[in-house]
Amino acid sequence: MMLAAVVLTACGTREDHGAWREQLFQGSTDAADAPSFQLDDVRVPDRLRGIAAAGPDGEEIRIACDTCHGLLDVELSRRGPERLQSQVGGPHVGLAFEHGPLDCAHCHDAAAPHQLRTADARTLPTTEAIELCSQCHGLQWRDFQHGAHGGMRGHWDRAAGPRERNHCVDCHDPHAPAFQRYRPLPPPVDRFAPIPPHRNGPVDHGAPTRHEAAPEPSEDGS
Amino acid sequence: MNGVTRRRLLKGAGATLGALAFAKAVEPVLDFTSELSGDEFLQRHYRELSPEDMREVLARLEAETKEKYGAEVTIRDIRPQEGVQFGYALNLSLCIGCRRCAEACHVENNHDRKTHQSYIRVLEMQQGSIDMEHGDATYDHPVPQPGRYYMPVQCQQCDNAPCVKVCPVEATWKEQDGIVVVDYNWCIGCRYCEAACPYHARRFNWEAPEISAEEINPNQSYLSNRIRPQGVVEKCTFCLHRTRTGALPACLEACPTGARVFGNLLDPNSEIRWVLENKRVFVLKEELGARPRFFYFFDV
Ligand code: SF4
Ligand code: SF4
């Protein structure tokens, strides 16, 4: 390194400011292709196992999709989302649907809506929704597999302990997946927190659209 | 150890004045800082402590925490693991500025409750600029705002750390796994390092942290989250009391978006390696040559 610096100076070339990054990996082997991803680490949120409803004593209970759809013969037509809300009946009333140009049958099996249907016409239980999501959201799926999308808890060193990862639907409501705006946690009251020299432009003080804080892995139904 | 250490300074003073005169001379200091026990005053530098010394020091610190804060805590001395070099990356396209990370740090690291201190500042940034000096750390409105993005900044654990170089007593240094640490019992509180850090990552304890016994995190270590004394400098340690035992840092666990990626740079299958090799990462103020271990990227 010393020598390189001397040579570079002697030649009058400027030091390569990025060269130091190479040294970060010194003493390690080349990257293997296999990501260390393990599907078992991913939570299976309750909302994938049924719908939340008020129980006899007012407490929240979860009703499996099969409870109704195993008996009822509900056939999904290819309906546009704007007509959807008034027509989806029973416990699904009020379901907000804002998932691009899709309609129910893009993700649910039209003949058995308690099951999912992939683009290549396989049926999946709702608990395996990740496979369905990743068919369209390939970039997110790639990042997710490499630990670069979605919250996690536990260990970086898999030999030292387990890891739990959020499922897509922990943060994204599949029927209205856009991330909402949140009220942030309070700033420091440290007297040395830098005050910006200028605040550019007005800020929107409107109320956060949905949550007061960012989502925890939630157990609420849909 | 090279350079002038606190010990050598004291020794030098002792030699000039004679031992008795020296004892006399430091007496007012000891009187004045009644908080400071004789043992503490004479404690050696972290890297000069033998295992027995360390055991005694840890026991003393635990007893002091019990006495001053009324909390039973365990303070360990956790050393770096062989073959591990830590790195951290943050996806600015995912971060929504919720400050969950800053809050988790506040709790994990026994920060002062009154000032709501944290080693992380989340900066609200104007889109189109990556100049952190123009970020706003005090925003208090729904996030994310249109036209803004959010850049959390904490210690960047530089390989060529300016803060380490300026410390006149070597109270701060870089450990073998890449984490820059402070010996709070060696720090003289001159705040040179705070001034030298280009990332504003260091914090000074103007007062002893105020925190109630129930809120104290009892899982502590000497070089990280034990309660700091008044008048010393502190900083993010990548939660070494967690990460050196294989766990993820508290800020990463708290992040709801997965914007944070942490791991071992020497493990070719680690998430951090994948990010460094597949995303267009950059570091803050690269032109200063501090060589941070903390990387940022946008999804493109
Ligand atoms: S790694 Fe730990 S000490 Fe550092 S900012 Fe995160 S929570 Fe705080
Ligand atoms: S918790 Fe995550 S999303 Fe929230 S401010 Fe911190 S890094 Fe950004």
Side-chain angles (χ1 to χ4, degrees), chain A residues 17 20-21 28-32 143 146 150 154-157 163 181-182 184-185 189 199-200 204 206 214, chain B residues 98-100 115 126 136 141-145 148 243 246-248 253 257 266 269 271 273-274 277 279 281 286:
Chain A
H17 282 296
W20 60 275
R21 291 193 197 181
S28 88
T29 46
D30 276 348
D143 286 1
H146 289 95
H155 293 76
W156 62 266
D157 179 2
R163 184 184 293 181
R181 292 174 68 196
Y182 305 101
L185 287 157
V189 284
R199 295 188 195 221
N200 303 307
D204 176 358
Chain B
C98 66
R99 286 208 191 92
R100 281 265 180 117
T115 50
Q126 198 67 34
D136 175 6
H141 44 242
V143 291
Q145 285 283 324
R148 309 290 160 91
T243 50
L248 289 163
E253 287 199 341
T257 64
L266 299 186
N269 292 320
E271 282 91 0
R273 274 289 282 273
W274 185 82
E277 280 158 22
K279 299 281 185 176
V281 297
E286 182 163 14

Side-chain angles (χ1 to χ4, degrees), chain B residues 95-101 122 152 255-257 259-260:
Chain B
C95 176
I96 54 169
C98 66
R99 286 208 191 92
R100 281 265 180 117
C101 50
V122 185
C255 178
T257 64
R260 293 170 168 272

Side-chain angles (χ1 to χ4, degrees), chain B residues 7-293:
Chain B
R7 177 153 303 268
R8 221 178 277 171
L9 258 177
L10 294 177
K11 265 197 201 148
T16 332
L17 295 172
L20 256 183
F22 177 60
K24 190 82 195 142
V26 298
E27 199 177 286
V29 182
L30 291 173
D31 277 354
F32 175 65
T33 53
S34 56
E35 300 266 291
L36 195 66
S37 64
D39 282 352
E40 193 173 346
F41 188 70
L42 294 174
Q43 183 184 315
R44 302 169 75 88
H45 188 280
Y46 174 83
R47 289 190 287 189
E48 291 181 338
L49 292 173
S50 68
E52 301 83 72
D53 290 344
M54 183 47 91
R55 263 196 296 281
E56 275 171 37
V57 167
L58 295 178
R60 191 191 75 226
L61 291 171
E62 286 172 359
E64 279 175 15
T65 314
K66 176 89 187 131
E67 189 191 321
K68 289 187 199 154
Y69 291 90
E72 296 280 356
V73 302
T74 311
I75 306 178
R76 290 178 296 163
D77 172 36
I78 312 169
R79 302 287 166 123
Q81 289 179 24
E82 282 301 323
V84 175
Q85 292 286 334
F86 288 123
Y88 212 147
L90 203 150
N91 186 343
L92 296 169
S93 299
L94 287 185
C95 176
I96 54 169
C98 66
R99 286 208 191 92
R100 281 265 180 117
C101 50
E103 185 69 20
C105 179
H106 177 71
V107 172
E108 177 71 27
N109 289 293
N110 295 311
H111 281 285
D112 180 40
R113 292 299 186 254
K114 209 168 63 208
T115 50
H116 202 237
Q117 196 51 272
S118 169
Y119 297 141
I120 304 177
R121 284 195 191 100
V122 185
L123 301 177
E124 182 169 77
M125 305 285 295
Q126 198 67 34
Q127 268 174 18
S129 159
I130 56 161
D131 180 359
M132 65 172 278
E133 300 298 334
H134 286 190
D136 175 6
T138 58
Y139 63 88
D140 200 10
H141 44 242
V143 291
Q145 285 283 324
R148 309 290 160 91
Y149 72 99
Y150 298 84
M151 183 155 82
V153 179
Q154 63 211 69
C155 175
Q156 314 273 305
Q157 317 292 358
C158 308
D159 279 352
N160 187 20
C163 53
V164 168
K165 290 187 204 160
V166 297
C167 179
V169 297
E170 294 183 29
T172 183
W173 66 92
K174 191 172 184 69
E175 295 252 297
Q176 189 195 307
D177 55 4
I179 300 177
V180 175
V181 294
V182 180
D183 182 345
Y184 311 122
N185 285 55
W186 202 258
C187 171
I188 56 171
C190 69
R191 301 175 64 208
Y192 282 12
C193 55
E194 194 185 345
C197 174
Y199 308 105
H200 311 299
R202 291 188 171 237
R203 308 280 187 274
F204 184 65
N205 286 281
W206 292 92
E207 290 164 40
E210 265 178 35
I211 168 169
S212 66
E214 316 78 67
E215 288 183 34
I216 288 176
N217 173 6
N219 171 20
Q220 303 184 358
S221 87
Y222 184 90
L223 291 175
S224 64
N225 65 338
R226 68 181 165 107
I227 301 180
R228 279 73 65 188
Q230 180 182 21
V232 304
V233 163
E234 59 178 40
K235 59 179 282 298
C236 164
T237 61
F238 278 180
C239 281
L240 66 80
H241 52 285
R242 301 168 59 102
T243 50
R244 282 184 179 171
T245 62
L248 289 163
C251 48
L252 186 148
E253 287 199 341
C255 178
T257 64
R260 293 170 168 272
V261 182
F262 179 86
N264 180 6
L265 293 171
L266 299 186
D267 173 2
N269 292 320
S270 65
E271 282 91 0
I272 185 75
R273 274 289 282 273
W274 185 82
V275 165
L276 296 192
E277 280 158 22
N278 292 280
K279 299 281 185 176
R280 287 169 48 177
V281 297
F282 64 95
V283 296
L284 298 181
K285 303 186 182 181
E286 182 163 14
E287 67 281 8
L288 299 181
R291 304 185 182 183
R293 286 283 182 98

